[in-house]
Amino acid sequence: GKTIAESRGEVQKSYNILEFICGEGRRLNGETVPSEMTNTLAYTVKEPMGVVGLITPWNFPVAIPVWKIAPALVTGNTVVFKPAPQTPWTGELVTRLFLDAGLPQGVLNLVMGGDQDVGATLVNDARIKAVSFTGSNAVGNLINTQCSSRGAKVQCEMGGKNPIVVFDDADVELAAVATAQGAFGSTGQRCTATSRAIVMNNIADAFVDRVKQLAQEVVAGNGMDEKTTMGPSIDQEQMQSVLDYIDIAKNEGAALLCGGERYHDGDLAKGFFVKPTMFDHVKPEMRIAQEEAFGPVLSVIRVETPEEAIEVANNVEYGLTSSVYSNDVNRVFRFLDKIETGITHVNSPTMGGEAQLPFGGVKATGIGHREMGKTAIEFYTELKTVYIDFTGQVRQSKVY
């Protein structure tokens, strides 16, 4: 159900990642470091882990597998790849592309199944030296526990509750458009989606009116139709989860401005379509402001000062991405110093990342090394330190 425009963008991003990571094959550098001992050469080398397990989600069924598979292969590992049960065909197509490009048989291996059977087998198999996972916190934390108990390396990229912070000196139109893109694009089904708008009160009315207008301009429908700007939820279970969070927000007293239900008219009633939904006067402690709904749902939280905005932005368990809109450089840099996210943007939306830059979060969002960029290869390698003594003599032993 992803729109064709978003799908093309995902394929282009996959290409960019492959292009960059291929170059890392020529940059698997160690260091030559001076030794305390005379006539001794000391250096480090990166070595492959062996067999690695990759478990990927359904929301980016091409880009996320590629950004895990590419660094795993270029560093010399073999791979067992398990895509999400909702996107098996895409997983097969991605695997066939690597094989068609000339990858030897047995280097990249595709397995299908759920987390409780195939996923658990993969995580607990002693032959799997490292596991990279993207998905929910519940599953990621379980994987971390299981891998750690047997000494396997683990990397988990999990939830987000990403804020866009709008100060009263910001370009309101620019911020509103970015908020709508981040909240309703990809049906809100991405870890970098904008789920909270933290707005200073003296511009909040103008901001809310504009975002509401943009929400009502969203065109839901078949993703293959070029006119569609928002597709459906992935399946009925996910749609129901989003609707449940909407009901929770209503019961908590948040002010519903638009949406708040699934589409009931025409062909949209036959699919898993939730209307773009916007709540105002949300309190920071409400569940809708704390928990990840993973749907086209935006919470607007009004604040009085920049300091309060930053405090509210940080007052969640997650820390993936954030955005600040301001034309005051002093406010911007104070925000950048204090925000607790692995990625942050200034005057641009919360979502997105580039192939040459690290991707990942802090707090409950991330475990282990960052993905993408030059750091991507760190997870898939072991570092070996080498000492070469060319004195030809027996030395007095040292205490290390």
Side-chain angles (χ1 to χ4, degrees):
K2 181 174 289 194
T3 68
I4 190 65
E6 290 168 340
S7 299
R8 291 186 182 116
E10 182 175 347
V11 171
Q12 180 62 51
K13 180 168 185 174
S14 303
Y15 174 86
N16 295 345
I17 292 165
L18 278 167
E19 183 180 47
F20 179 83
I21 293 296
C22 283
E24 288 301 292
R26 297 182 181 273
R27 295 188 291 267
L28 292 176
N29 304 319
E31 290 184 295
T32 302
V33 183
S35 171
E36 295 176 1
M37 298 178 288
T38 58
N39 297 324
T40 298
L41 173 65
Y43 64 91
T44 63
V45 292
K46 293 185 175 76
E47 295 185 337
M49 298 291 300
V51 185
V52 299
L54 309 179
I55 302 174
T56 62
W58 46 260
N59 59 335
F60 286 89
V62 177
I64 293 179
V66 166
W67 85 41
K68 293 181 188 291
I69 292 170
L73 294 179
V74 84
T75 49
N77 300 282
T78 57
V79 171
V80 182
F81 162 45
K82 190 193 89 64
Q86 297 92 333
T87 52
W89 189 23
T90 314
E92 180 179 344
L93 292 172
V94 169
T95 304
R96 289 191 179 279
L97 285 171
F98 278 98
L99 297 178
D100 291 346
L103 199 65
Q105 287 286 337
V107 173
L108 174 59
N109 308 276
L110 175 69
V111 295
M112 300 287 195
D115 291 328
Q116 294 182 344
D117 44 26
V118 177
T121 300
L122 193 63
V123 168
N124 291 297
D125 195 307
R127 294 169 294 180
I128 302 292
K129 303 303 181 184
V131 175
S132 179
F133 166 82
T134 299
S136 71
N137 282 72
V139 175
N141 289 327
L142 180 61
I143 288 173
N144 181 45
T145 300
Q146 292 173 333
C147 286
S148 299
S149 69
R150 64 180 184 86
K153 210 171 181 180
V154 62
Q155 175 186 62
C156 295
E157 187 61 44
M158 300 177 287
K161 195 64 182 172
N162 311 303
I164 188 166
V165 174
V166 186
F167 292 147
D168 55 6
D169 60 280
D171 183 324
V172 172
E173 174 67 14
L174 194 66
V177 171
T179 301
Q181 290 174 343
F184 311 128
S186 294
T187 323
Q189 298 178 135
R190 53 185 165 200
C191 53
T192 59
T194 306
S195 57
R196 296 181 295 153
I198 301 167
V199 189
M200 291 184 66
N201 200 45
N202 53 342
I203 59 161
D205 287 344
F207 172 84
V208 164
D209 288 345
R210 182 61 177 132
V211 177
K212 179 181 176 180
Q213 179 185 4
L214 292 167
Q216 293 170 333
E217 292 173 1
V218 168
V219 179
N222 185 341
M224 294 300 289
D225 187 336
E226 297 280 359
K227 296 178 182 178
T228 296
T229 61
M230 190 186 79
S233 294
I234 179 72
D235 55 24
Q236 185 168 2
E237 182 181 1
Q238 182 59 37
M239 179 189 71
Q240 189 58 53
S241 176
V242 175
L243 293 173
D244 288 346
Y245 268 110
I246 290 171
D247 287 341
I248 289 168
K250 292 176 182 177
N251 293 332
E252 288 180 320
L256 178 65
L257 298 183
C258 62
E261 60 181 356
R262 65 183 297 181
Y263 286 90
H264 296 290
D265 300 327
D267 289 340
L268 294 182
K270 303 173 185 177
F272 306 127
F273 291 92
V274 177
K275 294 181 179 179
T277 298
M278 187 174 176
F279 288 99
D280 196 4
H281 299 286
V282 174
K283 303 300 182 184
E285 65 274 11
M286 289 180 176
R287 287 182 63 187
I288 197 65
Q290 291 288 326
E291 300 174 20
E292 187 176 39
F294 224 60
V297 181
L298 176 70
S299 298
V300 178
I301 303 172
R302 298 180 180 227
V303 295
E304 293 296 333
T305 65
E307 292 73 25
E308 183 186 2
I310 295 170
E311 181 181 352
V312 170
N314 287 335
N315 187 32
V316 292
E317 63 175 319
Y318 303 108
L320 179 54
T321 184
S322 58
S323 179
V324 61
Y325 275 75
S326 174
N327 290 310
D328 184 328
V329 67
N330 296 314
R331 284 180 169 182
V332 167
F333 276 98
R334 279 196 291 270
F335 174 89
L336 296 176
D337 281 346
K338 294 181 179 180
I339 192 66
E340 296 171 357
T341 56
I343 306 166
T344 192
H345 302 259
V346 177
N347 293 328
S348 65
T350 62
M351 66 284 189
E354 297 184 17
Q356 72 278 13
L357 291 164
F359 181 92
V362 299
K363 300 197 288 191
T365 290
I367 296 171
H369 292 85
R370 294 288 196 268
E371 301 189 271
M372 297 204 300
K374 294 169 66 175
T375 58
I377 63 172
E378 302 299 329
F379 176 72
Y380 299 99
T381 57
E382 290 282 17
L383 197 62
K384 178 180 285 183
T385 302
V386 180
Y387 296 90
I388 300 177
D389 183 340
F390 54 93
T391 62
Q393 299 175 10
V394 177
R395 296 179 187 262
Q396 183 179 355
S397 63
K398 297 184 67 176
V399 176
Y400 291 95

